[in-house]
């Protein structure tokens, strides 16, 4: 709503619109910060610049903490709801003939037009709501075509599209005020079909056919990435590892020079497509590096992808996808690698390795700061 003539003093110093609700405005209550009210006289601390700056800092800290808390709750709710819905789907699948659950995911009694419309709704829901939850720190690049690459891949590849439809259906089903048997059947069909197709993509990749076809290559990488997310959202602890192993076996020997991220020719008739596929490749590889670097927490093994080569080359910017700079990701990967081999080192060798790691981390952060790179994401209020 338009800002009132006054507004609370908190909104005034933050330059925010205020709905002037009582006893505290919506802007302040939503962000869990102190609403300093609507008195004609300003709070005493406003007349002291130092106290004013301290209050602004306290407010910013509170806003950031609230943002993190809300995001954490949203992610947990999505993971919990999809896991619960997946469990229902698996239970129902055991009691129904296979022929009933492998066809097109359509609601019983629904028209073809209605089904097409619902799928369009689900795709937009995925782009607008699910994707931002999955990738809260993703920085879009309108000058590079935005997320057109994502919509293109979802439209062109049935496995990816059905995976996105499933996540959207789970999400809407969870928050819907009513549930019907038809909706549950639809969830089951989407879920079963998506899993079957994604597993087929990963297990039956035609190396020869996709070697010179970037769309097929990205279909394989994105299929594996979606499948890992799918298994994790279902609450599985080990199933995702087999799919990740399949991806690693294909890409672990690639170097940064094997990825032509910057070959787009503005005069080429395929310029938009090539640029979009380059953006997609950067996004997917950033995801796989993220998984590889953090996977040791579950597997106890060292990262297997050549993350040093990929990230030091600067062709992948992790801060735009995961909110963490390349030098920090390298540091985390090195710590995971050292942790996995620590048991084989004696105390002296381990101490030396830790000292060397600390020095590399320090030098990496210093170099990033000197270069003006983003080391970590700054959450804005």
């Amino acid at each position: 709503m338009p800002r009132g003539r006054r507004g609370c003093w908190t909104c005034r110093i933050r330059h925010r619109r205020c709905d002037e609700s009582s006893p505290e405005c919506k802007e302040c209550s939503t962000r869990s910060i102190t609403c300093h009210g609507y008195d004609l006289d300003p709070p005493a601390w406003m007349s002291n610049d130092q106290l004013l700056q301290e209050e602004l800092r306290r407010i910013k800290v509170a806003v950031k903490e609230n943002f993190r808390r809300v995001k954490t709750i949203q992610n947990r709710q999505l993971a919990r709801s999809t896991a619960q819905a997946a469990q229902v789907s698996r239970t129902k699948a055991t009691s129904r003939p296979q022929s009933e659950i492998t066809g097109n995911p359509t609601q019983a009694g629904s028209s073809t037009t209605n089904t097409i419309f619902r799928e369009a709704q689900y795709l937009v829901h995925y782009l607008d709501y699910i994707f931002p939850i999955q990738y809260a720190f993703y920085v879009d690049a309108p000058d590079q075509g935005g997320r057109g690459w994502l919509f293109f891949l979802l439209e062109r590849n049935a496995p990816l599209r059905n995976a996105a439809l499933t996540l959207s259906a789970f999400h809407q089903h969870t928050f819907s005020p009513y549930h019907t048997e038809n909706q549950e059947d639809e969830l089951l069909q989407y879920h079963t079909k998506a899993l079957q197709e994604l597993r087929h993509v990963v297990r039956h990749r035609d190396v020869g056919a996709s070697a010179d076809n970037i769309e097929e290559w990205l279909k394989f990488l994105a299929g594996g990435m979606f499948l890992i997310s799918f298994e994790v959202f279902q609450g599985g602890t080990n199933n995702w590892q087999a799919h990740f192993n399949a991806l690693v076996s294909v890409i672990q020997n690639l170097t940064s020079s094997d990825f032509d991220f910057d070959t787009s020719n503005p005069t080429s008739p395929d310029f938009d497509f090539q640029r979009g596929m380059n953006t997609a490749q950067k996004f997917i590889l950033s995801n796989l590096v993220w998984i590889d670097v953090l996977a040791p927490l579950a597997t106890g093994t060292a990262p297997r992808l050549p993350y040093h080569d990929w990230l030091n080359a600067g062709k992948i910017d992790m801060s735009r996808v995961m909110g963490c700079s390349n030098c920090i990701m390298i540091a985390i990967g090195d710590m995971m690698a050292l942790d996995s081999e620590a048991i084989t080192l004696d105390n002296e060798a381990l101490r030396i390795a830790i000292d060397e790691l600390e020095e590399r981390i320090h030098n990496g952060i210093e170099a990033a700061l000197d270069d003006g790179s983003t080391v970590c994401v700054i959450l804005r209020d």
Side-chain angles (χ1 to χ4, degrees):
M1 63 179 293
R3 182 175 178 174
R5 295 179 61 186
R6 290 179 51 78
C8 74
W9 289 105
T10 305
C11 288
R12 286 189 178 191
I13 64 174
R14 295 182 64 233
H15 305 291
R16 294 292 187 270
R17 292 182 179 180
C18 182
D19 65 354
E20 301 185 5
S21 299
S22 181
E24 58 182 16
C25 72
K26 183 178 179 180
E27 172 71 17
C28 292
S29 61
T30 299
R31 300 184 183 278
S32 299
I33 57 179
T34 302
C35 183
H36 287 291
Y38 313 96
D39 291 343
L40 293 177
D41 296 325
W45 46 263
M46 286 191 65
S47 60
N48 184 305
D49 187 62
Q50 181 178 351
L51 295 178
L52 174 61
Q53 294 305 316
E54 289 178 357
E55 180 63 19
L56 281 172
R57 281 193 291 271
R58 280 195 293 269
I59 291 174
K60 288 184 178 180
V61 169
V63 169
K64 292 174 183 177
E65 290 178 350
N66 182 66
F67 177 86
R68 294 190 186 98
R69 183 167 57 252
V70 170
K71 281 296 181 183
T72 299
I73 292 173
Q74 288 178 339
N75 289 337
R76 288 176 179 172
Q77 287 178 337
L78 178 60
R80 183 166 54 250
S81 64
T82 52
Q84 291 171 347
Q87 181 60 44
V88 172
S89 296
R90 288 196 296 272
T91 301
K92 292 190 66 176
T94 60
S95 62
R96 296 183 57 184
Q98 184 70 16
S99 59
E100 291 185 18
I101 61 176
T102 56
N104 291 328
T106 58
Q107 281 189 295
S110 65
S111 67
T112 301
T113 301
N114 189 63
T115 299
I116 294 173
F117 180 79
R118 283 177 61 78
E119 291 194 353
Q121 279 187 316
Y122 283 148
L123 280 180
V124 174
H125 188 85
Y126 175 80
L127 293 170
D128 288 347
Y129 299 102
I130 307 301
F131 185 87
I133 292 175
Q134 290 179 301
Y135 305 102
F137 298 108
Y138 178 72
V139 179
D140 206 358
D143 59 320
Q144 297 296 315
R147 288 183 295 165
W149 60 269
L150 177 59
F151 189 79
F152 176 85
L153 291 178
L154 293 177
E155 279 290 289
R156 297 268 290 190
N157 296 288
L160 304 185
R161 182 173 63 254
N162 283 323
L165 293 176
T166 303
L167 292 176
S168 294
F170 280 162
H171 192 250
Q172 287 197 1
H173 180 75
T174 300
F175 293 100
S176 174
Y178 59 90
H179 299 98
T180 67
E181 185 174 349
N182 285 344
Q183 287 178 324
E184 293 180 356
D185 287 343
E186 183 183 54
L187 278 175
L188 172 62
Q189 292 168 20
Y190 278 134
H191 177 256
T192 303
K193 192 171 183 64
L195 271 181
Q196 290 175 342
E197 292 178 339
L198 287 172
R199 286 170 177 164
H200 180 82
V201 167
V202 174
R203 293 173 181 172
H204 300 86
R205 174 184 178 244
D206 187 342
V207 178
S210 59
D212 298 317
N213 187 324
I214 190 171
E215 188 176 344
E216 286 297 313
W217 166 248
L218 292 179
K219 177 182 177 181
F220 165 71
L221 293 181
M225 183 184 72
F226 263 86
L227 187 53
I228 292 170
S229 297
F230 228 63
E231 299 285 12
V232 172
F233 274 140
Q234 288 188 98
T237 57
N238 297 313
N239 291 344
W240 65 270
Q241 295 182 28
H243 310 313
F244 185 61
N245 290 339
L247 291 174
V248 170
S249 67
V250 174
I251 65 176
Q252 64 182 346
N253 294 321
L254 298 177
T255 67
S256 59
S257 60
D258 294 318
F259 301 106
D260 293 324
F261 291 131
D262 302 313
T263 58
S264 298
N265 180 1
T267 63
S268 169
D270 296 327
F271 170 69
D272 291 325
F273 169 76
Q274 185 67 40
R275 182 180 62 177
M277 294 303 95
N278 286 341
T279 302
Q281 190 167 220
K282 292 179 182 180
F283 175 84
I284 295 171
L285 290 177
S286 295
N287 270 273
L288 296 180
V289 169
W290 177 267
I291 295 172
D292 184 55
V293 166
L294 297 182
L297 291 173
T299 64
T301 60
R304 290 175 291 168
L305 294 179
Y307 60 91
H308 271 271
D309 175 46
W310 290 8
L311 299 183
N312 280 327
K315 295 182 178 179
I316 298 175
D317 185 356
M318 297 293 294
S319 67
R320 297 184 65 87
V321 179
M322 294 300 183
C324 187
S325 72
N326 288 7
C327 69
I328 297 299
M329 287 307 302
I330 291 174
I332 295 174
D334 289 348
M335 285 189 286
M336 294 295 184
L338 178 57
D339 182 69
S340 68
E341 65 178 18
I343 194 172
T344 66
L345 303 175
D346 58 38
N347 290 339
E348 180 62 19
L350 181 59
R351 185 189 63 78
I352 294 174
I354 292 175
D355 289 342
E356 292 176 347
L357 176 58
E358 288 181 348
E359 183 177 0
R360 290 201 304 273
I361 293 174
H362 179 269
N363 292 339
I365 294 177
E366 285 290 327
L369 292 174
D370 290 341
D371 190 45
S373 302
T374 300
V375 175
C376 60
V377 168
I378 303 298
L379 299 178
R380 298 183 177 87
D381 62 343

